[in-house]
Amino acid sequence: MRDMNLYGISGLHQYVDAENFGLILDNVNAKYNRAIWRQFASWGEPTDDREWKQGIKKTPILVRASVLGTHSGKPQRSTMGWEFYGGTLPQVGHGFNITKDDMIELRKAAKLRNVTFGEALTDSFIYNSDAMLGGVHNELSYMVMQAMSTGEIHDVAVDGARYDFKFQIPDENFLAPESGKEWYIWDTTGATPVLKANTNADVVEDILTFQKYLTDTLNLGVDHWKLSKDLLDKIVLHPSVVTAFKASKNYYNPSQVKVVRTDVLDWLHNDMKVWPFQEIDFKSRHEEDGKPVADAPAFDIHNMVAASRAYRPFEMKCMNSILIDRVKMGGLDPSTRYSFVEGRIAVRNSWQEDPILNVIDCELYAGPVFNNVHDYGIATVWKDYEG
């Protein structure tokens, strides 16, 4: 049954008081506690610093202490282990309006449902707040996926402001097959370029080479691969993988071997000692002129990412909203409500009288930073057509 304490008899600020305004938003936001970005990043403490700082750790693994003689001096560790670089945190924003025309329709719907106009208006606010907060979490997920798969973030906001941020992952942590042995190549013999498997490639050999280089040469603590669903499909279906799988099951009559995806993956991991795959299947959209448009894949479909399962690779750096100080100052217009979802996403609900308009918008300054840019590897195994 609807909690009638949320509603009164006369804008939205009168139907919903300040406390319940925040309660509604928190309840709506709770469904995003499982947003995909939270698998890979945890919230950092909000600060007043708008700089998007990233630390570079010089030592990727622990250095052994020295064995000391009776009167030996203790060797000193370097204190210059961290450098910082940065940019400006991007501002993430989203919102919606409840217009006079919307209110007319809500009033009609309220009569049909035998509820008050205030209840219908509040239900509309709850429904649209879900989409608004979902949009914020979607943007955070998009940034995390992009950073994780490329070591960079490139995005264009709706208002056209572009921001770029490149994490200083060491050059030696970026890998690729030998020249000419990319896993998939473009056939340009026809009128339209066609992507096809490269018969010169050996996918399993390349992956094992990558793994050995990352752990034995670079001494990184990485133990699994993150990759897109698209790339995992390409690996399982690649002729070099299928041929090797069939030969391992029946060398003399490989044509008699049935290729099953789960069997191929089991063979890769258990027999060939390829690290486990974490499949990333994330899709998002943005709005252009009020219409949803599919985004380019956030997790780069050309790359495999080597990481550690021991910790989340990111912290979500964020800053305190200046609106927090505004609330502390007091003396707010009674037609305005403020709430801070998770103490970070600032939501403001205000009324405009002529023309009558209920405006709800939110803002957040936030962006992911790597916990350690050294303990990470990115392998680019095929490329887009560059003709």
Side-chain angles (χ1 to χ4, degrees), residues 28 30 36 45-46 81 93-94 103 108 127 159-161 167 193-194 196 198 204 228 231 241 252 259 349 362:
V28 168
I36 192 170
E45 286 298 316
H94 208 41
M103 293 177 197
K108 289 180 183 177
Y127 174 80
D159 60 6
F167 297 93
V194 177
K196 67 175 187 178
N198 186 357
V204 176
S228 67
L231 182 54
V241 173
Y252 296 101
V259 178
N349 173 25
C362 67

Side-chain angles (χ1 to χ4, degrees), residues 28-334:
V28 168
N29 186 68
K31 69 180 290 185
Y32 299 106
N33 286 339
R34 298 178 65 84
I36 192 170
W37 73 264
R38 297 185 193 269
Q39 296 179 33
F40 309 106
S42 56
W43 278 118
E45 286 298 316
T47 71
D48 294 330
D49 183 7
R50 195 177 168 185
E51 287 303 299
W52 197 355
K53 289 183 179 178
Q54 171 66 61
I56 304 177
K57 193 174 183 180
K58 293 292 188 182
T59 308
I61 59 174
L62 292 176
V63 178
R64 290 187 301 116
S66 297
V67 176
L68 304 177
T70 305
H71 300 291
S72 299
K74 297 181 181 67
Q76 298 298 304
R77 295 201 60 158
S78 170
T79 59
M80 301 301 292
W82 289 86
E83 293 179 351
F84 285 95
Y85 64 97
T88 301
L89 277 177
Q91 181 182 15
V92 178
H94 208 41
F96 62 94
N97 299 333
I98 302 177
T99 67
K100 181 167 65 175
D101 288 340
D102 294 329
M103 293 177 197
I104 291 172
E105 294 304 314
L106 287 171
R107 186 170 58 188
K108 289 180 183 177
K111 291 177 180 177
L112 292 173
R113 293 164 51 204
N114 196 29
V115 298
T116 68
F117 171 61
E119 291 174 299
L121 184 62
T122 305
D123 287 344
S124 175
F125 166 74
I126 293 172
Y127 174 80
N128 286 290
S129 294
D130 187 340
M132 178 181 68
L133 291 171
V136 171
H137 288 287
N138 220 30
E139 177 61 24
L140 296 180
S141 295
Y142 196 88
M143 286 195 289
V144 167
M145 295 295 109
Q146 211 173 48
M148 189 160 59
S149 60
T150 66
E152 302 179 23
I153 292 177
H154 305 284
D155 206 351
V156 180
V158 175
D159 60 6
R162 184 182 182 90
Y163 60 86
D164 296 274
F165 193 84
K166 180 176 173 59
F167 297 93
Q168 290 189 344
I169 298 173
D171 290 343
E172 62 265 25
N173 291 38
F174 288 89
L175 313 171
E178 291 182 16
S179 179
K181 295 187 178 182
E182 293 80 8
W183 297 355
Y184 282 82
I185 56 176
W186 292 92
D187 183 354
T188 58
T189 56
T192 304
V194 177
L195 186 67
K196 67 175 187 178
N198 186 357
T199 56
N200 294 322
D202 189 325
V203 171
V204 176
E205 181 181 6
D206 283 343
I207 294 177
L208 295 177
T209 300
F210 295 156
Q211 292 177 182
K212 183 176 177 61
Y213 172 77
L214 291 169
T215 55
D216 292 359
T217 302
L218 298 185
N219 290 315
L220 304 187
V222 291
D223 56 15
H224 76 286
W225 294 103
K226 301 180 190 295
L227 72 173
S228 67
K229 180 179 183 297
D230 180 275
L231 182 54
L232 184 55
D233 289 341
K234 282 181 166 56
I235 289 173
V236 172
L237 297 174
H238 196 280
S240 69
V241 173
V242 173
T243 299
F245 169 74
K246 286 184 173 181
S248 72
K249 302 303 177 184
N250 190 333
Y251 182 79
Y252 296 101
N253 293 292
S255 61
Q256 312 235 338
V257 177
K258 184 178 180 181
V259 178
V260 179
R261 178 189 175 92
T262 53
D263 292 342
V264 174
L265 291 174
D266 182 69
W267 168 76
L268 282 170
H269 299 318
N270 295 318
D271 294 358
M272 300 309 296
K273 305 307 176 186
V274 169
W275 294 336
F277 294 134
Q278 181 179 11
E279 183 180 356
I280 308 293
D281 187 15
F282 171 74
K283 298 178 178 65
S284 65
R285 298 182 296 177
H286 65 277
E287 238 177 49
E288 292 182 7
D289 297 326
K291 296 181 180 179
V293 179
D295 291 319
F299 195 100
D300 197 303
I301 60 177
H302 310 88
N303 295 350
M304 295 175 62
V305 174
S308 168
R309 285 172 292 181
Y311 64 90
R312 293 175 182 169
F314 297 99
E315 177 179 288
M316 189 65 72
K317 178 176 172 57
C318 58
M319 69 176 297
N320 287 310
S321 172
I322 196 66
L323 296 179
I324 292 177
D325 294 320
R326 175 67 189 94
V327 172
K328 290 178 180 177
M329 289 168 63
L332 296 175
D333 187 308

